[in-house]
Amino acid sequence: MNHPAPLQCTLSGTVSELPAFFERLEDWAQGHEVPMPLASSFGLMLDELLTNVATHGYGGQGGPVSVQITFDAPATLSAVLRDQGPPFDPTALVAADVEAALEDRHVGGLGVHFVKKLAERFVYRRDGAVNEISVSRTWVAPSPQVSGL
């Protein structure tokens, strides 16, 4: 497998910095020929996770977040996110009941449900005072359809 240089970022744990981070991610993905459907879906996963850190982990006040993203060509992206917020294991959340009527659903959890559905790998661990989340996603190109002769 081909292993291009990872994208490493240190963020301040705020929602306001995320657009600039995602521009940098998009530039990095294009420069490493990451398939756009993979880069887009992976970006949505990271958006959910980083927004949760900023709003819930740091309560909108910010705090250190490190992100390292790797691309294993031709079609796998992986990321490790580390923050110093209170311990929180998103992988342990009860699955969101997407079939329940809106008035019967619990508030929250849909974003993590979304990440769980998209990620091939979604792992949490607490390392001292640090939350660490590892996620990966592999894109499988649709097979060309053969038209009838």
Side-chain angles (χ1 to χ4, degrees):
M1 294 231 170
N2 183 15
H3 299 279
L7 174 62
Q8 297 183 2
C9 299
T10 300
L11 306 175
S12 60
T14 63
V15 172
S16 63
E17 73 186 330
L18 293 180
F21 167 76
F22 286 110
E23 283 182 33
R24 186 171 174 197
L25 173 60
E26 185 177 333
D27 291 345
W28 177 84
Q30 288 176 349
H32 291 11
E33 299 179 4
V34 176
M36 241 342 100
L38 174 61
S40 296
S41 61
F42 199 75
L44 289 172
M45 291 170 38
L46 292 180
D47 189 16
E48 175 60 31
L49 295 170
L50 291 169
T51 298
N52 281 351
V53 169
T55 58
H56 302 295
Y58 289 133
Q61 301 302 306
V65 179
S66 69
V67 180
Q68 179 171 323
I69 302 170
T70 56
F71 176 50
D72 293 325
T76 300
L77 281 172
S78 301
V80 177
L81 289 70
R82 295 173 60 88
D83 71 78
Q84 296 175 17
F88 177 68
D89 180 358
T91 66
L93 290 178
V94 176
D97 184 358
V98 296
E99 300 298 322
L102 286 177
E103 60 273 6
D104 295 333
R105 292 186 192 182
H106 295 288
V107 175
L110 282 178
V112 171
H113 171 77
F114 173 74
V115 172
K116 285 180 177 181
K117 290 293 184 186
L118 286 178
E120 274 184 354
R121 182 172 183 266
F122 186 27
V123 177
Y124 169 84
R125 76 181 187 110
R126 184 75 178 175
D127 182 14
V130 175
N131 293 304
E132 182 178 281
I133 296 175
S134 300
V135 292
S136 65
R137 178 166 171 75
T138 299
W139 180 68
V140 178
S143 57
Q145 295 184 3
V146 179
S147 61
L149 298 176

